[in-house]
Amino acid sequence: MWPPYMTVHQAKNANLGVWPPDLSKATSHSPGLINYPYNLMTGYHYNPPFGLDVPEGRHFNPYYDHMIIAMPPQLHDGMIEYDDGTPASAPQMAHDVSEYLMFVSRAKVPDQKIFIYLVLGITFTLYPISYLFTKYHFVNCHSFRHEVYAVKNGGYKKFREKAFRTHKTPGNWLNQMS
């Protein structure tokens, strides 16, 4: 979506020297989500509280961060005509605008979902293959055996019978030879 002004200076000149708020991410990044632009566009009818001076060319809006905004009210009753005969009130148009802004802010979600599914599919395909290849490749690194020749108490033959026993000894949890 193209911005309404070509340069920063043009935007400031059209809005009494103030940069207009960017509402393209207001529905997804602000605390009120979709309610923030709706309340911002319909909150001009409130009177400022006692002691708050509103400068010339500014407007009071309690939903704006500092409550004084340079943007004049954008929506008025009867500005457009709906095809289905819906009355063109300011709250109805604000609702439509905020829904459209939510649609625009979430325009990239389907592409992001496809990208995430592709990454997960590739990961779940290649990870088992790489695991099996690594296991096959490094199988010889930990399969060496230290043989110690015991000379006393029967020599190597007795040591071999005790060290490479295939049956389990009852009560010997860690397969330690006693």
Side-chain angles (χ1 to χ4, degrees), residues 108-123:
K108 294 182 181 178
V109 169
D111 297 337
Q112 291 172 350
K113 283 185 178 179
I114 289 174
F115 182 73
I116 289 171
Y117 291 149
L118 282 173
V119 167
L120 290 177
I122 291 170
T123 301

Side-chain angles (χ1 to χ4, degrees), residues 83-95:
D83 292 337
D84 60 352
T86 304
S89 63
Q92 176 63 41
M93 290 184 286
H95 173 74

Side-chain angles (χ1 to χ4, degrees), residues 6-175:
M6 299 299 288
T7 63
V8 177
H9 303 293
Q10 188 181 23
K12 286 184 176 181
N13 289 336
N15 291 296
L16 302 170
V18 179
W19 178 261
D22 181 20
L23 295 177
S24 63
K25 298 291 183 188
T27 55
S28 59
H29 289 66
S30 64
L33 297 177
I34 198 167
N35 296 327
Y36 175 71
Y38 176 83
N39 291 333
L40 186 67
M41 289 184 283
T42 58
Y44 287 99
H45 64 277
Y46 293 103
N47 294 325
F50 181 76
L52 182 65
D53 295 328
V54 180
E56 184 74 28
R58 305 285 194 259
H59 303 279
F60 175 75
N61 193 330
Y63 299 106
Y64 189 62
D65 292 338
H66 304 292
M67 292 191 287
I68 296 176
I69 188 169
M71 181 176 71
Q74 300 292 313
L75 303 176
H76 305 286
D77 291 341
M79 286 179 66
I80 60 172
E81 293 182 12
Y82 287 101
D83 292 337
D84 60 352
T86 304
S89 63
Q92 176 63 41
M93 290 184 286
H95 173 74
D96 294 340
V97 169
S98 59
E99 288 287 337
Y100 177 72
L101 288 174
M102 183 59 125
F103 170 75
V104 168
S105 69
R106 295 185 52 86
K108 294 182 181 178
V109 169
D111 297 337
Q112 291 172 350
K113 283 185 178 179
I114 289 174
F115 182 73
I116 289 171
Y117 291 149
L118 282 173
V119 167
L120 290 177
I122 291 170
T123 301
F124 289 141
T125 302
L126 292 181
Y127 182 75
I129 294 170
S130 66
Y131 172 75
L132 292 174
F133 174 77
T134 306
K135 186 176 178 183
Y136 174 76
H137 181 72
F138 289 110
V139 71
N140 292 324
C141 289
H142 300 294
S143 64
F144 57 86
R145 179 174 68 197
H146 291 293
E147 292 190 8
V148 179
Y149 295 99
V151 178
K152 57 183 182 177
N153 295 337
Y156 179 69
K157 183 176 180 184
K158 186 76 171 172
F159 171 78
R160 190 177 60 192
E161 288 173 2
K162 289 174 72 177
F164 304 112
R165 220 179 269 174
T166 57
H167 63 280
K168 305 264 188 210
T169 306
N172 191 1
W173 294 348
L174 302 175
N175 292 329

